[in-house]
Amino acid sequence: QVQLVESGGGSVQAGGSLRLSCTASAYIYSSYCMGWFRQAPGKEREGVAAIRHGGGSTYYADSVKGRFTISQDNAQNTLYLQMNSLKPEDTAMYYCAADEKPDCYSRTWWREPEYMYWGQGTQVTVSS
């Protein structure tokens, strides 16, 4: 059983930056796809970014490309989401997710059912 704990959320003005962290309770082997999702009030949860644990392809939602960067520290079993040039529309609860599979796939990384393990979320609020 893998438990994921997010941290790093907060309130920031538009144009600012935040770095989210997600720490796994158990060792995450390379055969895991790790992702970040977000859910704004009144909206469905959406995929933000994904990366294969241990290195590999990265995927981003069009709305965050060029502003967000997903990365990981394998030794610390930690996933990161660096968020720059934040906009008010980035305001949401951000969730870390993981699933055991050989890789993240371009056609499915953004789908919630693709992930078995989820964190509790960390709130990001961007003011204009």
Side-chain angles (χ1 to χ4, degrees):
Q1 183 75 13
V2 176
Q3 292 182 328
L4 304 173
V5 179
E6 303 95 336
S7 62
S11 297
V12 64
Q13 290 191 328
S17 298
L18 284 173
R19 189 177 79 157
L20 306 183
S21 299
C22 171
T23 301
S25 62
Y27 183 77
I28 301 292
Y29 293 92
S30 60
S31 58
Y32 269 78
C33 175
M34 308 290 294
W36 285 100
F37 284 72
R38 67 185 182 186
Q39 187 169 22
K43 295 187 177 181
E44 294 185 352
R45 194 178 298 187
E46 63 173 352
V48 175
I51 187 170
R52 175 179 173 272
H53 187 71
S57 300
T58 55
Y59 300 96
Y60 296 94
D62 288 343
S63 59
V64 306
K65 280 181 182 177
R67 300 188 299 122
F68 290 12
T69 302
I70 189 171
S71 63
Q72 57 196 331
D73 182 334
N74 296 334
Q76 297 297 323
N77 233 22
T78 302
L79 180 73
Y80 300 103
L81 185 68
Q82 178 66 45
M83 305 186 296
N84 299 328
S85 302
L86 283 162
K87 304 175 181 180
E89 50 263 44
D90 294 318
T91 295
M93 184 71 79
Y94 282 72
Y95 299 90
C96 174
D99 195 72
E100 187 174 7
K101 53 169 60 73
D103 204 344
C104 303
Y105 302 106
S106 60
R107 291 185 296 177
T108 59
W109 70 266
W110 47 271
R111 298 181 69 246
E112 288 187 65
E114 294 295 310
Y115 298 84
M116 177 176 292
Y117 305 107
W118 291 82
Q120 294 300 308
T122 185
Q123 178 67 38
V124 171
T125 302
V126 184
S127 58
S128 57

